[in-house]
Amino acid sequence: MTAPLTFAPEVAQARRNGQPVVALESTIITHGMPWPQNLETALNAEAEVRSCGAVPATIAVMGGRIHIGLTGDELESLARAKDVAKLSRADLAACLATGATGATTVAATMIAAHLGGIAVFATGGIGGVHRGAESSFDISADLHELARTPLCVVAAGAKAILDLPKTLEVLETLGVPVIAHGQRDFPAFWSRSSDLPAPLSMESPDEIAAAHLMRRRLGLSGGQLVANPIPQDAEIPRAEIDPAIETALAEAAEGHIAAKSVTPFLLGRIFELTGGRSLDANIALVMNNARLGARIARAIVAQDRP
Ligand code: PSU
Ligand code: MN
């Protein structure tokens, strides 16, 4: 028995022809952004991937199957739905077995993309080590997934609601290459810089593709994180976003928000506290990552020819 995968026609054709494909996640649609910007962003990210010469594959679980590539109707029903499960590695199989609908996080999207033979995945920001993790133990399963599943994940760093120094420490411990794109510093999601140097820095999709393929040749498990800074004109300076982050974190602590609800709660409150600016920035960085993901996917296909 093989994995229950359903490919959209466009993705199936790309696989047959060896064309570049970029995976996109669905938790950002169901838990990361409000309606209707979530649907617009999902559709625009797909369009951005196509305009850069690759095929998009948005991934979600429906009717007992992992869908790799969604129709417009499927995207819209996910974007409107209120009770969709947020799936990480731990939840994926149970959701499939029960036939429930689920949105895939970075971790679950990596698993699904790899099953579908896709090498590159573009998203907003990965999960990481939460502030206060020394007592809460809240460390996103995204980090462990990067250590075991060989995807090249393009994100604007880890969300700045997290403890970024600890997130970088854990990625180093897990042996995950963290590559800043076009700058030395690790980006901070809504802001271009975290003031922390990234372990690696690369300028071009070709270099990033070569690093990815070399890991495969070495038989190293796990993927690499490409940390792509938000475009200059869309960034929110740290001094402006930090107070909103602090307020949202304090409210989360007061309300005893825990486990899977933490990230969606914080993103929602920061949206309200910034009068929607955090969402505009989030959308801009997703588009930017979709474009870079497509260029990396093309470079991998070009370099992978024997
Ligand atoms: N990036 C965004 N918005 C999001 C997420 C990422 O711009 O909502 C989601 C991703 O699916 C990521 C998840 O995997 O948040 C992390 O959740 P947690 O911290 O509970 O592991
Ligand atoms: Mn968590």
Short mmCIF file of all heavy atoms in Angstrom, two decimals, residues 106-178:
data_model
loop_
_atom_site.label_atom_id
_atom_site.label_comp_id
_atom_site.label_asym_id
_atom_site.label_seq_id
_atom_site.Cartn_x
_atom_site.Cartn_y
_atom_site.Cartn_z
N VAL A 106 4.10 23.73 8.27
CA VAL A 106 5.38 23.54 7.59
C VAL A 106 5.82 22.09 7.71
O VAL A 106 6.20 21.46 6.71
CB VAL A 106 6.45 24.50 8.17
CG1 VAL A 106 7.85 24.12 7.69
CG2 VAL A 106 6.12 25.95 7.78
N ALA A 107 5.74 21.52 8.93
CA ALA A 107 6.21 20.14 9.12
C ALA A 107 5.43 19.16 8.24
O ALA A 107 6.01 18.34 7.52
CB ALA A 107 6.09 19.75 10.59
N ALA A 108 4.10 19.23 8.30
CA ALA A 108 3.28 18.28 7.54
C ALA A 108 3.39 18.53 6.03
O ALA A 108 3.35 17.58 5.23
CB ALA A 108 1.82 18.36 7.98
N THR A 109 3.55 19.79 5.63
CA THR A 109 3.70 20.08 4.19
C THR A 109 5.02 19.50 3.68
O THR A 109 5.09 18.99 2.55
CB THR A 109 3.65 21.60 3.94
OG1 THR A 109 2.43 22.11 4.49
CG2 THR A 109 3.68 21.91 2.44
N MET A 110 6.07 19.56 4.51
CA MET A 110 7.35 18.96 4.11
C MET A 110 7.21 17.47 3.88
O MET A 110 7.70 16.92 2.88
CB MET A 110 8.41 19.20 5.20
CG MET A 110 8.88 20.64 5.30
SD MET A 110 10.05 20.86 6.66
CE MET A 110 11.49 20.02 5.97
N ILE A 111 6.51 16.78 4.80
CA ILE A 111 6.32 15.33 4.67
C ILE A 111 5.57 15.03 3.36
O ILE A 111 5.97 14.17 2.57
CB ILE A 111 5.55 14.78 5.88
CG1 ILE A 111 6.36 14.95 7.16
CG2 ILE A 111 5.16 13.31 5.65
CD1 ILE A 111 5.57 14.65 8.45
N ALA A 112 4.48 15.77 3.15
CA ALA A 112 3.63 15.52 1.97
C ALA A 112 4.38 15.84 0.68
O ALA A 112 4.32 15.09 -0.30
CB ALA A 112 2.36 16.35 2.08
N ALA A 113 5.10 16.96 0.68
CA ALA A 113 5.83 17.35 -0.53
C ALA A 113 6.87 16.29 -0.87
O ALA A 113 7.04 15.91 -2.03
CB ALA A 113 6.49 18.72 -0.33
N HIS A 114 7.57 15.80 0.14
CA HIS A 114 8.59 14.78 -0.09
C HIS A 114 7.96 13.50 -0.64
O HIS A 114 8.48 12.91 -1.60
CB HIS A 114 9.37 14.51 1.20
CG HIS A 114 10.49 13.55 1.02
ND1 HIS A 114 11.47 13.71 0.06
CD2 HIS A 114 10.78 12.40 1.66
CE1 HIS A 114 12.32 12.70 0.12
NE2 HIS A 114 11.92 11.89 1.07
N LEU A 115 6.84 13.09 -0.08
CA LEU A 115 6.13 11.92 -0.61
C LEU A 115 5.78 12.15 -2.08
O LEU A 115 5.75 11.21 -2.88
CB LEU A 115 4.84 11.66 0.18
CG LEU A 115 5.00 11.06 1.59
CD1 LEU A 115 3.66 11.12 2.34
CD2 LEU A 115 5.50 9.62 1.51
N GLY A 116 5.48 13.40 -2.43
CA GLY A 116 5.10 13.72 -3.80
C GLY A 116 6.28 14.05 -4.71
O GLY A 116 6.09 14.49 -5.84
N GLY A 117 7.49 13.85 -4.21
CA GLY A 117 8.67 14.07 -5.06
C GLY A 117 8.99 15.53 -5.32
O GLY A 117 9.63 15.87 -6.32
N ILE A 118 8.57 16.42 -4.41
CA ILE A 118 8.81 17.86 -4.58
C ILE A 118 9.97 18.28 -3.67
O ILE A 118 10.01 17.90 -2.50
CB ILE A 118 7.53 18.66 -4.23
CG1 ILE A 118 6.39 18.24 -5.15
CG2 ILE A 118 7.79 20.16 -4.31
CD1 ILE A 118 5.02 18.80 -4.75
N ALA A 119 10.89 19.07 -4.20
CA ALA A 119 12.11 19.43 -3.45
C ALA A 119 12.04 20.78 -2.77
O ALA A 119 12.79 21.04 -1.83
CB ALA A 119 13.32 19.40 -4.40
N VAL A 120 11.17 21.67 -3.26
CA VAL A 120 11.18 23.06 -2.76
C VAL A 120 9.80 23.43 -2.22
O VAL A 120 8.77 23.07 -2.80
CB VAL A 120 11.59 24.04 -3.89
CG1 VAL A 120 11.58 25.48 -3.39
CG2 VAL A 120 12.96 23.68 -4.44
N PHE A 121 9.81 24.17 -1.14
CA PHE A 121 8.57 24.56 -0.45
C PHE A 121 8.71 26.01 0.00
O PHE A 121 9.69 26.36 0.65
CB PHE A 121 8.36 23.58 0.71
CG PHE A 121 7.41 23.99 1.80
CD1 PHE A 121 6.32 24.82 1.55
CD2 PHE A 121 7.60 23.51 3.09
CE1 PHE A 121 5.45 25.17 2.58
CE2 PHE A 121 6.75 23.85 4.11
CZ PHE A 121 5.67 24.69 3.87
N ALA A 122 7.76 26.84 -0.37
CA ALA A 122 7.80 28.25 0.03
C ALA A 122 6.67 28.55 1.00
O ALA A 122 5.53 28.12 0.79
CB ALA A 122 7.70 29.16 -1.19
N THR A 123 6.97 29.29 2.06
CA THR A 123 5.95 29.66 3.05
C THR A 123 6.23 31.06 3.56
O THR A 123 7.03 31.80 3.00
CB THR A 123 5.91 28.62 4.19
OG1 THR A 123 4.86 28.99 5.09
CG2 THR A 123 7.22 28.56 4.95
N GLY A 124 5.54 31.44 4.68
CA GLY A 124 5.79 32.74 5.30
C GLY A 124 6.95 32.63 6.26
O GLY A 124 8.08 33.03 5.96
N GLY A 125 6.67 32.06 7.42
CA GLY A 125 7.72 31.86 8.42
C GLY A 125 7.55 30.50 9.05
O GLY A 125 6.43 30.03 9.22
N ILE A 126 8.65 29.86 9.40
CA ILE A 126 8.54 28.55 10.05
C ILE A 126 8.23 28.75 11.53
O ILE A 126 8.42 29.82 12.09
CB ILE A 126 9.84 27.73 9.90
CG1 ILE A 126 11.02 28.44 10.59
CG2 ILE A 126 10.15 27.45 8.45
CD1 ILE A 126 12.16 27.53 10.94
N GLY A 127 7.75 27.69 12.16
CA GLY A 127 7.64 27.69 13.61
C GLY A 127 9.02 27.51 14.21
O GLY A 127 9.98 27.16 13.51
N GLY A 128 9.16 27.78 15.50
CA GLY A 128 10.49 27.66 16.12
C GLY A 128 10.37 27.51 17.63
O GLY A 128 9.37 26.99 18.13
N VAL A 129 11.39 27.99 18.33
CA VAL A 129 11.41 27.91 19.78
C VAL A 129 10.65 29.11 20.34
O VAL A 129 11.01 30.25 20.06
CB VAL A 129 12.85 27.93 20.32
CG1 VAL A 129 12.85 27.82 21.85
CG2 VAL A 129 13.68 26.81 19.69
N HIS A 130 9.59 28.86 21.10
CA HIS A 130 8.82 29.96 21.68
C HIS A 130 9.56 30.60 22.84
O HIS A 130 10.36 29.96 23.50
CB HIS A 130 7.44 29.46 22.12
CG HIS A 130 6.49 29.31 20.97
ND1 HIS A 130 5.60 30.28 20.61
CD2 HIS A 130 6.35 28.31 20.08
CE1 HIS A 130 4.93 29.89 19.54
NE2 HIS A 130 5.37 28.69 19.19
N ARG A 131 9.29 31.89 23.04
CA ARG A 131 9.87 32.57 24.20
C ARG A 131 9.32 31.88 25.45
O ARG A 131 8.14 31.53 25.50
CB ARG A 131 9.48 34.04 24.19
CG ARG A 131 9.96 34.73 22.91
CD ARG A 131 9.77 36.23 22.98
NE ARG A 131 9.84 36.81 21.63
CZ ARG A 131 9.72 38.11 21.37
NH1 ARG A 131 9.53 38.97 22.35
NH2 ARG A 131 9.81 38.55 20.13
N GLY A 132 10.16 31.66 26.40
CA GLY A 132 9.74 30.94 27.62
C GLY A 132 9.75 29.44 27.44
O GLY A 132 9.24 28.69 28.27
N ALA A 133 10.36 28.96 26.35
CA ALA A 133 10.38 27.51 26.09
C ALA A 133 11.10 26.75 27.19
O ALA A 133 10.86 25.56 27.38
CB ALA A 133 11.05 27.23 24.75
N GLU A 134 11.97 27.47 27.95
CA GLU A 134 12.68 26.78 29.04
C GLU A 134 11.71 26.27 30.11
O GLU A 134 12.02 25.33 30.82
CB GLU A 134 13.78 27.67 29.65
CG GLU A 134 13.31 28.99 30.23
CD GLU A 134 13.21 30.11 29.18
OE1 GLU A 134 13.02 29.82 27.98
OE2 GLU A 134 13.27 31.29 29.59
N SER A 135 10.50 26.87 30.19
CA SER A 135 9.51 26.28 31.10
C SER A 135 8.34 25.64 30.35
O SER A 135 7.78 24.65 30.79
CB SER A 135 9.00 27.32 32.11
OG SER A 135 8.52 28.45 31.43
N SER A 136 7.95 26.20 29.19
CA SER A 136 6.79 25.63 28.47
C SER A 136 7.16 24.43 27.60
O SER A 136 6.31 23.65 27.23
CB SER A 136 6.15 26.70 27.57
OG SER A 136 7.02 27.00 26.48
N PHE A 137 8.44 24.32 27.24
CA PHE A 137 8.92 23.28 26.31
C PHE A 137 8.28 23.43 24.93
O PHE A 137 8.22 22.47 24.17
CB PHE A 137 8.66 21.86 26.85
CG PHE A 137 9.67 21.38 27.86
CD1 PHE A 137 10.07 22.19 28.91
CD2 PHE A 137 10.23 20.12 27.76
CE1 PHE A 137 11.00 21.76 29.84
CE2 PHE A 137 11.16 19.67 28.68
CZ PHE A 137 11.55 20.50 29.73
N ASP A 138 7.77 24.60 24.59
CA ASP A 138 7.08 24.77 23.31
C ASP A 138 8.09 25.04 22.19
O ASP A 138 8.58 26.15 22.02
CB ASP A 138 6.06 25.91 23.41
CG ASP A 138 5.16 25.99 22.18
OD1 ASP A 138 5.45 25.29 21.18
OD2 ASP A 138 4.17 26.74 22.21
N ILE A 139 8.42 24.00 21.48
CA ILE A 139 9.33 24.08 20.34
C ILE A 139 8.60 23.47 19.16
O ILE A 139 8.14 22.33 19.23
CB ILE A 139 10.65 23.31 20.60
CG1 ILE A 139 11.37 23.91 21.82
CG2 ILE A 139 11.55 23.35 19.36
CD1 ILE A 139 12.65 23.20 22.19
N SER A 140 8.45 24.23 18.08
CA SER A 140 7.68 23.75 16.93
C SER A 140 8.27 22.48 16.33
O SER A 140 9.50 22.35 16.18
CB SER A 140 7.62 24.84 15.86
OG SER A 140 6.94 24.33 14.72
N ALA A 141 7.38 21.58 15.95
CA ALA A 141 7.81 20.36 15.25
C ALA A 141 8.43 20.69 13.89
O ALA A 141 9.08 19.83 13.29
CB ALA A 141 6.62 19.43 15.08
N ASP A 142 8.24 21.93 13.42
CA ASP A 142 8.86 22.33 12.14
C ASP A 142 10.38 22.14 12.20
O ASP A 142 11.01 21.78 11.19
CB ASP A 142 8.57 23.80 11.83
CG ASP A 142 7.10 24.09 11.54
OD1 ASP A 142 6.32 23.13 11.42
OD2 ASP A 142 6.76 25.28 11.43
N LEU A 143 10.99 22.41 13.35
CA LEU A 143 12.46 22.34 13.44
C LEU A 143 12.93 20.91 13.28
O LEU A 143 13.90 20.63 12.56
CB LEU A 143 12.93 22.94 14.77
CG LEU A 143 12.56 24.40 15.02
CD1 LEU A 143 13.19 24.90 16.32
CD2 LEU A 143 12.97 25.29 13.85
N HIS A 144 12.25 19.99 13.95
CA HIS A 144 12.64 18.57 13.84
C HIS A 144 12.38 18.04 12.44
O HIS A 144 13.12 17.19 11.94
CB HIS A 144 11.90 17.73 14.89
CG HIS A 144 12.38 18.02 16.26
ND1 HIS A 144 13.44 17.37 16.84
CD2 HIS A 144 11.99 18.95 17.16
CE1 HIS A 144 13.67 17.86 18.04
NE2 HIS A 144 12.79 18.83 18.26
N GLU A 145 11.34 18.57 11.80
CA GLU A 145 11.06 18.12 10.43
C GLU A 145 12.18 18.55 9.49
O GLU A 145 12.59 17.81 8.59
CB GLU A 145 9.72 18.69 9.95
CG GLU A 145 9.06 17.84 8.91
CD GLU A 145 8.85 16.41 9.37
OE1 GLU A 145 8.30 16.18 10.45
OE2 GLU A 145 9.27 15.48 8.63
N LEU A 146 12.67 19.77 9.70
CA LEU A 146 13.80 20.24 8.88
C LEU A 146 15.01 19.33 9.06
O LEU A 146 15.83 19.18 8.16
CB LEU A 146 14.16 21.68 9.25
CG LEU A 146 13.28 22.75 8.59
CD1 LEU A 146 13.38 24.07 9.34
CD2 LEU A 146 13.68 22.95 7.12
N ALA A 147 15.11 18.69 10.23
CA ALA A 147 16.25 17.82 10.49
C ALA A 147 16.10 16.45 9.82
O ALA A 147 17.08 15.73 9.66
CB ALA A 147 16.43 17.63 11.99
N ARG A 148 14.88 16.10 9.43
CA ARG A 148 14.72 14.73 8.90
C ARG A 148 14.20 14.62 7.48
O ARG A 148 14.38 13.57 6.85
CB ARG A 148 13.85 13.90 9.85
CG ARG A 148 12.44 14.41 10.04
CD ARG A 148 11.84 13.90 11.33
NE ARG A 148 11.72 12.44 11.37
CZ ARG A 148 11.22 11.76 12.38
NH1 ARG A 148 10.79 12.40 13.46
NH2 ARG A 148 11.12 10.45 12.33
N THR A 149 13.55 15.64 6.96
CA THR A 149 12.92 15.53 5.62
C THR A 149 13.61 16.48 4.65
O THR A 149 13.73 17.68 4.92
CB THR A 149 11.42 15.84 5.75
OG1 THR A 149 10.87 14.93 6.71
CG2 THR A 149 10.69 15.66 4.43
N PRO A 150 14.06 15.96 3.50
CA PRO A 150 14.98 16.72 2.63
C PRO A 150 14.31 17.74 1.72
O PRO A 150 14.38 17.64 0.51
CB PRO A 150 15.65 15.61 1.80
CG PRO A 150 14.63 14.53 1.73
CD PRO A 150 13.88 14.57 3.03
N LEU A 151 13.68 18.73 2.33
CA LEU A 151 13.09 19.81 1.54
C LEU A 151 13.94 21.06 1.66
O LEU A 151 14.57 21.29 2.69
CB LEU A 151 11.68 20.12 2.08
CG LEU A 151 10.44 19.49 1.43
CD1 LEU A 151 10.03 20.30 0.20
CD2 LEU A 151 10.63 18.03 1.04
N CYS A 152 13.93 21.86 0.62
CA CYS A 152 14.53 23.18 0.67
C CYS A 152 13.37 24.15 0.99
O CYS A 152 12.50 24.37 0.15
CB CYS A 152 15.17 23.50 -0.68
SG CYS A 152 15.98 25.09 -0.73
N VAL A 153 13.34 24.66 2.22
CA VAL A 153 12.21 25.46 2.69
C VAL A 153 12.57 26.94 2.66
O VAL A 153 13.55 27.36 3.27
CB VAL A 153 11.82 25.05 4.13
CG1 VAL A 153 10.66 25.90 4.64
CG2 VAL A 153 11.45 23.57 4.18
N VAL A 154 11.78 27.71 1.91
CA VAL A 154 12.02 29.15 1.78
C VAL A 154 11.05 29.89 2.69
O VAL A 154 9.83 29.76 2.54
CB VAL A 154 11.84 29.62 0.33
CG1 VAL A 154 12.19 31.10 0.20
CG2 VAL A 154 12.67 28.78 -0.62
N ALA A 155 11.57 30.65 3.66
CA ALA A 155 10.74 31.38 4.62
C ALA A 155 11.44 32.68 4.97
O ALA A 155 12.64 32.82 4.76
CB ALA A 155 10.53 30.54 5.88
N ALA A 156 10.67 33.63 5.52
CA ALA A 156 11.28 34.92 5.90
C ALA A 156 11.86 34.80 7.31
O ALA A 156 11.64 35.64 8.18
CB ALA A 156 10.24 36.03 5.82
N GLY A 157 12.59 33.74 7.55
CA GLY A 157 13.11 33.44 8.88
C GLY A 157 12.02 32.77 9.70
O GLY A 157 11.09 32.18 9.15
N ALA A 158 12.18 32.81 11.00
CA ALA A 158 11.15 32.29 11.89
C ALA A 158 10.34 33.49 12.37
O ALA A 158 10.86 34.59 12.45
CB ALA A 158 11.78 31.55 13.06
N LYS A 159 9.08 33.25 12.68
CA LYS A 159 8.23 34.37 13.10
C LYS A 159 8.83 35.07 14.31
O LYS A 159 9.30 34.43 15.24
CB LYS A 159 6.82 33.87 13.40
CG LYS A 159 6.05 33.60 12.11
CD LYS A 159 4.64 33.16 12.38
CE LYS A 159 4.56 31.68 12.71
NZ LYS A 159 4.76 30.78 11.59
N ALA A 160 8.79 36.40 14.31
CA ALA A 160 9.47 37.20 15.33
C ALA A 160 8.80 37.12 16.69
O ALA A 160 9.29 37.66 17.67
CB ALA A 160 9.58 38.65 14.87
N ILE A 161 7.66 36.43 16.77
CA ILE A 161 7.02 36.17 18.07
C ILE A 161 7.83 35.14 18.85
O ILE A 161 7.59 34.92 20.03
CB ILE A 161 5.58 35.63 17.89
CG1 ILE A 161 5.59 34.42 16.95
CG2 ILE A 161 4.68 36.72 17.35
CD1 ILE A 161 4.24 33.75 16.76
N LEU A 162 8.79 34.50 18.17
CA LEU A 162 9.55 33.41 18.78
C LEU A 162 10.82 33.93 19.44
O LEU A 162 11.13 35.12 19.36
CB LEU A 162 9.91 32.40 17.68
CG LEU A 162 8.70 31.81 16.95
CD1 LEU A 162 9.13 31.12 15.68
CD2 LEU A 162 7.96 30.84 17.87
N ASP A 163 11.54 33.02 20.05
CA ASP A 163 12.87 33.34 20.56
C ASP A 163 13.84 32.99 19.44
O ASP A 163 14.18 31.82 19.23
CB ASP A 163 13.13 32.51 21.83
CG ASP A 163 14.43 32.91 22.50
OD1 ASP A 163 15.41 33.18 21.79
OD2 ASP A 163 14.45 32.94 23.75
N LEU A 164 14.29 34.02 18.70
CA LEU A 164 15.10 33.74 17.51
C LEU A 164 16.50 33.20 17.85
O LEU A 164 16.96 32.28 17.16
CB LEU A 164 15.17 34.99 16.62
CG LEU A 164 13.81 35.43 16.05
CD1 LEU A 164 13.97 36.63 15.12
CD2 LEU A 164 13.10 34.31 15.32
N PRO A 165 17.19 33.72 18.87
CA PRO A 165 18.49 33.10 19.19
C PRO A 165 18.35 31.62 19.53
O PRO A 165 19.15 30.80 19.06
CB PRO A 165 18.98 33.91 20.40
CG PRO A 165 18.28 35.23 20.30
CD PRO A 165 16.94 34.93 19.68
N LYS A 166 17.34 31.27 20.32
CA LYS A 166 17.18 29.84 20.68
C LYS A 166 16.78 29.03 19.45
O LYS A 166 17.19 27.87 19.29
CB LYS A 166 16.11 29.67 21.77
CG LYS A 166 16.54 30.12 23.15
CD LYS A 166 15.57 29.56 24.21
CE LYS A 166 15.90 30.07 25.60
NZ LYS A 166 15.45 31.46 25.84
N THR A 167 15.98 29.61 18.56
CA THR A 167 15.60 28.90 17.34
C THR A 167 16.82 28.58 16.50
O THR A 167 16.98 27.46 16.00
CB THR A 167 14.58 29.75 16.54
OG1 THR A 167 13.41 29.95 17.35
CG2 THR A 167 14.18 29.07 15.24
N LEU A 168 17.73 29.55 16.37
CA LEU A 168 18.96 29.30 15.61
C LEU A 168 19.83 28.24 16.30
O LEU A 168 20.45 27.41 15.63
CB LEU A 168 19.75 30.61 15.43
CG LEU A 168 19.17 31.58 14.39
CD1 LEU A 168 19.93 32.91 14.42
CD2 LEU A 168 19.20 30.97 12.99
N GLU A 169 19.88 28.28 17.64
CA GLU A 169 20.67 27.28 18.37
C GLU A 169 20.14 25.87 18.10
O GLU A 169 20.90 24.93 17.87
CB GLU A 169 20.63 27.54 19.88
CG GLU A 169 21.43 28.74 20.35
CD GLU A 169 22.94 28.58 20.19
OE1 GLU A 169 23.41 27.47 19.90
OE2 GLU A 169 23.64 29.60 20.35
N VAL A 170 18.82 25.71 18.16
CA VAL A 170 18.24 24.38 17.96
C VAL A 170 18.47 23.91 16.52
O VAL A 170 18.80 22.75 16.28
CB VAL A 170 16.73 24.36 18.33
CG1 VAL A 170 16.07 23.07 17.90
CG2 VAL A 170 16.56 24.57 19.84
N LEU A 171 18.33 24.82 15.55
CA LEU A 171 18.58 24.44 14.16
C LEU A 171 20.03 23.97 13.99
O LEU A 171 20.30 22.99 13.28
CB LEU A 171 18.26 25.61 13.21
CG LEU A 171 16.76 25.86 13.02
CD1 LEU A 171 16.53 27.23 12.37
CD2 LEU A 171 16.12 24.76 12.17
N GLU A 172 20.94 24.66 14.67
CA GLU A 172 22.35 24.24 14.58
C GLU A 172 22.53 22.85 15.20
O GLU A 172 23.18 21.98 14.62
CB GLU A 172 23.24 25.25 15.30
CG GLU A 172 24.72 24.90 15.17
CD GLU A 172 25.60 25.83 15.99
OE1 GLU A 172 25.67 25.66 17.22
OE2 GLU A 172 26.20 26.72 15.40
N THR A 173 21.93 22.64 16.38
CA THR A 173 22.03 21.34 17.05
C THR A 173 21.49 20.23 16.16
O THR A 173 22.06 19.13 16.10
CB THR A 173 21.21 21.36 18.37
OG1 THR A 173 21.73 22.40 19.20
CG2 THR A 173 21.28 20.03 19.09
N LEU A 174 20.39 20.53 15.44
CA LEU A 174 19.74 19.52 14.60
C LEU A 174 20.44 19.33 13.26
O LEU A 174 20.06 18.49 12.46
CB LEU A 174 18.27 19.90 14.37
CG LEU A 174 17.37 19.85 15.62
CD1 LEU A 174 16.00 20.44 15.29
CD2 LEU A 174 17.23 18.42 16.13
N GLY A 175 21.46 20.15 13.00
CA GLY A 175 22.21 20.00 11.75
C GLY A 175 21.50 20.55 10.54
O GLY A 175 21.69 20.07 9.42
N VAL A 176 20.67 21.57 10.75
CA VAL A 176 19.93 22.17 9.63
C VAL A 176 20.68 23.40 9.12
O VAL A 176 20.88 24.35 9.88
CB VAL A 176 18.51 22.59 10.08
CG1 VAL A 176 17.77 23.27 8.92
CG2 VAL A 176 17.73 21.39 10.60
N PRO A 177 21.10 23.41 7.84
CA PRO A 177 21.73 24.61 7.31
C PRO A 177 20.73 25.76 7.25
O PRO A 177 19.62 25.59 6.75
CB PRO A 177 22.16 24.21 5.89
CG PRO A 177 21.97 22.74 5.79
CD PRO A 177 20.98 22.34 6.84
N VAL A 178 21.12 26.91 7.77
CA VAL A 178 20.28 28.11 7.71
C VAL A 178 21.00 29.11 6.83
O VAL A 178 22.07 29.60 7.17
CB VAL A 178 20.04 28.69 9.11
CG1 VAL A 178 19.23 29.98 9.02
CG2 VAL A 178 19.33 27.67 10.00
#
